Amino acid sequence: MEIEQKQAQVIEHFVKQASTLQGSSLVSLIVQVTSHSSLFAFSEILAVPSVLELQGTDYAVYIDLLRNASLLPPLTPDQITKLKQLTVLSLAEINKVLSYDQLLEQLDLSNVRELEDFLINECMYAGIVKGKLDHLRRSFEVQFAAGRDLRPGQLGNIIQTLDDWLNTTDNVLLTIEEKIKWADKKCALNTIHQKQKAVKDKVEEVKKSLFNRGGRDFQALDDVLFGETAGLMDYEEDRTRTKRRRSPIY
């Protein structure tokens, strides 16, 4: 997605900067990181050695601001917006339909109008989520949500899910192969049947042709054999009748 491609470029930029800074000089950079409008994943930045050195110091609260709200110092408006955006992403990982009541509580907003404005302007326009607002049902239907950093222990669940998916796809492929073999066999049988039917139809056609042709030849032969004889018999009969009409000569 576009938001993830843009985020990768931002992460690369901040990682390079963090690698060249030490100690207190990282504070302003961390504030920029946690306030950036296009950044919603921080694991690569937190893994930079110079940033890891801040853990256990007064600056560690900036690194952990997304993990431990109780440790946070006063936040800037941009950081507060960032935390609310990340809260929406975290909720979208669990459910694809988020109720307004849940969102109002988690985002500490006072009314539905304020909530819908936040979802539209700070989430959907920012490209981190896509979905539909249902004012009547008081819910937000999530269609897409940008990914967040993996939480501890989450990687094992993802690996297990992928293993299950691979096993399922293997079973589906085996089923498809069996169906293909069955279809090939069925097609071969149909081809043989069609050829047999074509031969049978051809034989019937030849038989019919021979029968029709034989009938015409038989009729012609009948006319030749019996037509002339019948004419001769009629002629002889006429001569006999003529002779009988003559009076005897005395």
Side-chain angles (χ1 to χ4, degrees), residues 50-242:
S50 58
V51 177
L52 289 173
E53 292 176 359
L54 294 177
Q55 293 184 0
T57 69
D58 292 338
Y59 308 119
V61 291
Y62 288 98
I63 300 173
D64 299 329
L65 64 88
L66 300 177
R67 302 175 183 171
N68 302 292
S70 61
L71 300 178
L72 293 175
L75 302 178
T76 66
D78 288 339
Q79 289 175 326
I80 293 175
T81 299
K82 177 70 64 178
L83 281 173
K84 290 182 177 181
Q85 290 173 320
L86 292 172
T87 299
V88 173
L89 292 180
S90 297
L91 294 173
E93 289 180 357
I94 303 173
N95 296 309
K96 296 306 178 184
V97 179
L98 306 176
S99 68
Y100 279 5
D101 292 336
Q102 181 186 23
L103 290 170
L104 287 170
E105 179 183 356
Q106 294 292 326
L107 300 177
D108 193 26
L109 298 176
S110 58
N111 56 69
V112 172
R113 177 62 181 274
E114 188 177 359
L115 171 62
E116 290 183 340
D117 287 345
F118 176 79
L119 292 174
I120 294 172
N121 298 325
E122 304 297 341
C123 295
M124 287 192 279
Y125 282 173
I128 62 173
V129 294
K130 293 182 180 179
K132 295 181 180 179
L133 298 173
D134 192 332
H135 188 78
L136 294 178
R137 297 183 179 180
R138 293 173 57 86
S139 63
F140 176 52
E141 181 181 346
V142 181
Q143 298 173 338
F144 161 80
R148 288 202 59 185
D149 293 318
L150 294 178
R151 294 185 294 274
Q154 193 175 17
L155 181 59
N157 294 333
I158 293 177
I159 293 175
Q160 183 61 49
T161 301
L162 291 175
D163 286 339
D164 294 341
W165 178 79
L166 286 174
N167 291 333
T168 301
T169 54
D170 287 341
N171 292 332
V172 171
L173 287 175
L174 289 175
T175 302
I176 292 175
E177 289 177 357
E178 292 176 357
K179 292 295 184 181
I180 291 175
K181 291 179 181 179
W182 176 85
D184 289 341
K185 184 177 180 180
K186 190 72 173 178
C187 182
L189 292 175
N190 288 338
T191 301
I192 294 174
H193 177 72
Q194 290 175 359
K195 289 182 178 179
Q196 291 176 342
K197 185 176 183 301
V199 171
K200 184 178 180 180
D201 292 342
K202 188 65 176 178
V203 170
E204 292 297 329
E205 182 181 349
V206 171
K207 286 182 178 180
K208 185 176 180 181
S209 176
L210 291 175
F211 176 80
N212 292 335
R213 182 178 177 182
R216 290 194 298 270
D217 292 345
F218 180 80
Q219 183 64 41
L221 181 61
D222 183 71
D223 291 340
V224 172
L225 294 177
F226 299 102
E228 294 181 357
T229 304
L232 181 60
M233 292 176 63
D234 291 340
Y235 174 74
E236 292 295 336
E237 184 177 355
D238 290 340
R239 288 185 60 189
T240 303
R241 290 177 180 175
T242 302

